[in-house]
Amino acid sequence: MTRNAVDVPVALLGYGTVGAAVHRLLDEQGDEIERATGHRLRVVRALVRDVDRDRPCSPGAGVLTTDFATIRDDPQVRLVAEVMGGLDPAGDHVVELLRRGTPVVTANKQLLARRGPELFEAAAGGGVQLRFEASVCAAIPVIKVLREALVVTNVHRVLGIVNGTTNFILSAMEGGQTYAEALAEAQRLGYAEADPAEDVGGLDAAAKTAILATVAFGSRVPVEWVEVEGIEGVTREHVAAARAMEMHVKLVARATLVGDLVDVRVGPALVDARHPLAAVEGAFNAVMLQGDAIREIMLEGPGAGGIETASAVVADMVSIVGTTGTGFLQNDPVWRELGRLPAGELASPWYLRLEVEDRAGVLARLAQELAAEGVSVARLVQQPADGHAVLHVVTHEAAQGGLERALAAIRALPESRGHASALPVVSDRGVEELGWA
Ligand code: NAP
Ligand code: HSE
């Protein structure tokens, strides 16, 4: 430390995959941080469940504690990073710290998505900053871009791949690995949540989508508004059919502003091979932001992993020490109240997989049911299978409600073999469609 550097003792809530990496980065990059800010951030305490557990790297004598009060009541602690996860007790700890005037950085997307208003109220009450870059897409600085670089842009749509674990699994399945093998590998690499059901079931992506929509649209978007489907139902057949049609199966997050109404959803989709999201592989994430002046910006980078996430946590810590007192755009991002788009109204192109009898007139019956709901066919591939036909259909844009009614009618046809499923297709880039080109 140079003679003039300001010493900033900091504490961590959690010393797992992310917490240990934050400590490492603060130590290894200490000189750079000092050169940039004139501050030297030093980890003095870290909260864990078990101080005696074997850890890949030691935080130093006396740093680990199981007693939150030793952090809360330590007057030397100037800044806390919450990297423990879960809603309870993490939420109460963060609220207490903020109310007492300790700034907090969090990587906890569930906490922010579910208790955001309370956290921002506590931060305002304590007169301190709450930063949350690492809670969405790990290393990608999307929150900073939305809150600072795009502060005067009306963002209408956010489209992305926001969960590293599921993207890693789907990429591995394309390469021939099984779902179970790929999930085990994602856990070993530190990408998955403590309960990986949050990843594969889409809840992790749903929380991130609610946060992105809230920040992008400036209106509170509750996580309960997000229509969620995970990747548990994605089969090798889906992956193979997608490849045959030059598409890739991805877990896609979308937040769309339609007039004054918001639609938010997360689910498996077929992404056209020429679309930029199709090239996002492994644990990488990408977020495409579409808005008035900017037309379209895509940010891509590591979406999970200890050191990758620590990069965003440390950047937020550095921002806090660098902007304390100036208060640039640190308030609750919410400034208006938007409604929710009624279910089924959002339009998209769709991929349909239909199993039907292979005889004259069947295609015409299907086309009739689709047309009755205003669904128009763009591409069709037929494959023989065990005496019947499997149809892979890609439609033009159609509202989800009409598509679901058409599918129900098709399932009820005597010619149907009962299997009729749909996934949205991501092929457009949104610029022409919204009239900004
Ligand atoms: P982790 O490896 O499971 O580490 C959690 C840490 O918190 C451990 O040190 C654990 O103590 C401590 N902890 C958990 N519950 C506690 C409690 N009730 N009391 C005291 N200590 C407790 O988790 P992680 O992967 O680092 O993730 C941490 C947070 O970062 C989560 O919110 C996660 O969503 C977020 N995040 C993770 C990633 C990633 O790629 N891993 C990326 C972005 C965001 P012990 O060590 O004693 O068990
Ligand atoms: N489990 C999360 C993921 C970590 O796989 O994306 C990053 O938030």
Side-chain angles (χ1 to χ4, degrees), residues 98 119-128 331:
L98 291 169
L119 300 185
F120 282 107
E121 207 180 295
V128 289
N331 304 334

Side-chain angles (χ1 to χ4, degrees), residues 38-322:
H39 294 74
R40 176 68 67 158
L41 278 64
R42 208 163 38 84
V43 175
V44 293
R45 289 258 186 285
L47 183 71
V48 292
R49 275 178 295 223
D50 176 6
V51 289
D52 298 322
R53 192 158 80 78
D54 263 353
R55 294 174 193 275
C57 44
S58 158
V63 169
L64 294 185
T65 175
T66 55
D67 182 7
F68 169 66
T70 61
I71 292 174
R72 182 194 60 202
D73 300 335
D74 185 342
Q76 68 160 342
V77 170
R78 295 253 314 273
L79 172 58
V80 171
E82 185 275 298
V83 284
M84 63 192 279
L87 294 177
D88 191 24
D92 290 348
H93 290 347
V94 170
V95 167
E96 251 188 280
L97 288 163
L98 291 169
R99 283 199 183 127
R100 286 167 167 244
T102 307
V104 174
V105 170
T106 181
N108 190 333
K109 68 278 316 202
Q110 297 297 345
L111 180 60
L112 204 77
R114 291 170 198 279
R115 289 180 67 176
E118 190 189 350
L119 300 185
F120 282 107
E121 207 180 295
V128 289
Q129 298 185 26
L130 165 68
R131 284 184 177 250
F132 51 96
E133 187 67 72
S135 67
V136 181
C137 298
I140 305 176
V142 61
I143 301 297
K144 220 169 214 165
V145 166
L146 280 170
R147 298 205 69 184
E148 298 183 13
L150 301 184
V151 65
V152 295
T153 295
N154 289 320
V155 174
H156 303 288
R157 186 158 89 143
V158 181
L159 181 71
I161 293 171
V162 299
N163 181 269
T165 301
T166 45
N167 204 54
F168 181 87
I169 293 172
L170 292 171
S171 299
M173 281 170 79
E174 280 194 347
Q177 253 185 302
T178 66
Y179 177 97
E181 284 164 357
L183 173 56
E185 179 75 349
Q187 287 181 283
R188 191 185 64 76
L189 293 167
Y191 301 152
E193 294 302 301
D195 176 4
E198 282 186 23
D199 295 294
V200 296
L203 295 180
D204 177 86
K208 292 166 176 168
T209 308
I211 296 169
L212 282 171
T214 296
V215 177
F217 305 151
S219 173
R220 183 84 53 213
V221 177
V223 69
E224 293 77 17
W225 283 15
V226 185
E227 279 192 37
V228 192
E229 192 184 331
I231 63 161
E232 303 101 320
V234 175
T235 61
R236 282 173 184 237
E237 285 73 30
H238 281 121
V239 173
R243 285 191 76 163
M245 301 177 91
E246 294 181 2
M247 295 197 253
H248 298 267
V249 181
K250 299 280 183 196
L251 186 74
V252 173
R254 296 165 191 255
T256 316
L257 189 58
V258 183
D260 274 349
L261 301 177
V262 173
D263 182 89
V264 264
R265 59 189 60 233
V266 165
L270 264 61
V271 179
D272 190 282
R274 284 157 303 186
H275 191 279
L277 289 184
V280 179
E281 292 197 339
F284 268 48
N285 284 181
V287 188
M288 202 174 239
L289 306 169
Q290 296 166 350
D292 286 345
I294 56 164
R295 296 171 60 120
E296 187 173 273
I297 288 176
M298 185 162 122
L299 304 167
E300 183 185 355
I307 204 72
E308 296 86 344
T309 308
S311 136
V313 173
V314 170
D316 269 353
M317 295 170 93
V318 168
S319 292
I320 287 178
V321 296

Side-chain angles (χ1 to χ4, degrees), residues 6-46:
V6 180
D7 179 41
V8 183
V10 303
L12 307 176
L13 304 185
Y15 204 84
T17 306
V18 180
V22 167
H23 193 180
R24 185 181 136 199
L25 214 50
L26 285 175
D27 281 354
E28 287 178 1
Q29 301 299 314
D31 291 346
E32 278 74 11
I33 294 172
E34 193 179 317
R35 267 197 293 277
T37 65
H39 294 74
R40 176 68 67 158
L41 278 64
R42 208 163 38 84
V43 175
V44 293
R45 289 258 186 285

